[in-house]
Amino acid sequence: MKVLGIFVYNCRRSLRNPELIFKKFNKLASSFDPYAIASVERALEISSKEIASRIPTGERATVKSQGEENKLVAHCYHPINQVVFVVMTDGRYPARIAHNLGHKTVQLLESQHDSVMLYNKEREETQREFTLKGLEEILEVDYEQNPKDFNTLMTNIDEDVEDSKEIEMYDVEGLFQGEEGETVGFVLNLFSMKLDHKWKLQTI
């Protein structure tokens, strides 16, 4: 049961081309071939961006492929303020917990960085990604083994997802239905693969 990566996007300028504000990869070496980590990171980032651009405004969604649990899952929330998070996990990670983790990430981000710096369209290219204190501590705690410790670190969330019924479930194939192209094909293939050390990726 693992979190693989967390991404936060600013969709205020463009819904179809979200701007990456923050990304954090989590212990990928324990799940994948160490020599393939760079391509895994790139694949997760591409997929998170494509999903962030397709979830309707105001909707909370979990996106996955049909079949086995040991596949990639994306948990995404696209609020009215257009600051979208995508939490990438394996299939065993609870959707409700993943969404709460996404909310906590955005909350930490906005509490530690000036909103003008975060979302101002005039920011320089070098300012596009921000560091975040406190998230590493949360990710170090295994929710499955230590739920109490994890929940203690997750206190005071602005929007606590208490019921998984609040989350819309999507098959990734349905989300991209009718679309073609190299990127779409790449994402669909990525979600169809088992998460293991044999993950062989050719990024685009």
Side-chain angles (χ1 to χ4, degrees), residues 18-97:
E19 176 190 12
L20 180 66
I21 298 171
F22 174 81
K23 64 182 176 183
K24 172 66 178 177
F25 299 106
N26 185 45
K27 302 177 182 176
L28 297 181
S30 65
S31 301
F32 304 103
D33 182 343
Y35 294 103
I37 295 302
S39 62
V40 170
E41 290 179 350
R42 180 62 179 150
L44 293 174
E45 184 174 332
I46 290 171
S47 299
S48 69
K49 181 177 181 178
E50 293 301 313
I51 288 168
S53 70
R54 286 166 173 80
I55 299 301
T57 302
E59 191 160 289
R60 180 186 307 285
T62 287
V63 181
K64 61 182 180 178
S65 183
Q66 299 177 358
E68 303 176 33
E69 283 188 346
N70 192 29
K71 290 183 179 179
L72 184 65
V73 178
H75 309 273
C76 178
Y77 179 49
H78 190 152
I80 300 217
N81 70 1
Q82 308 290 351
V83 179
V84 179
F85 68 70
V86 183
V87 180
M88 310 292 272
T89 72
D90 65 11
R92 295 180 57 241
Y93 202 89
R96 182 182 67 83
I97 303 302

Side-chain angles (χ1 to χ4, degrees), residues 13 33 45-46 65 72 107 129 132 153-154 167 169 183-184 197:
R13 295 178 65 189
D33 182 343
E45 184 174 332
I46 290 171
S65 183
L72 184 65
Q107 184 177 329
E129 294 173 22
L132 194 56
L153 292 170
M154 292 280 284
I167 303 169
M169 304 300 293
T183 303
V184 171
H197 282 266

Side-chain angles (χ1 to χ4, degrees), residues 39-40 42-43 46 182 186 189-190 193 199-204:
S39 62
V40 170
R42 180 62 179 150
I46 290 171
E182 185 180 13
F186 176 82
N189 182 59
L190 189 71
M193 295 190 296
W199 241 30
K200 300 298 181 184
L201 305 171
Q202 292 184 345
T203 56
I204 55 177

Side-chain angles (χ1 to χ4, degrees), residues 14 33 43 87-88 93 95-96 105 110 125 139 158 193 198:
S14 172
D33 182 343
V87 180
M88 310 292 272
Y93 202 89
R96 182 182 67 83
T105 301
E110 293 183 337
E125 183 77 20
L139 293 174
D158 287 338
M193 295 190 296
K198 297 178 181 178

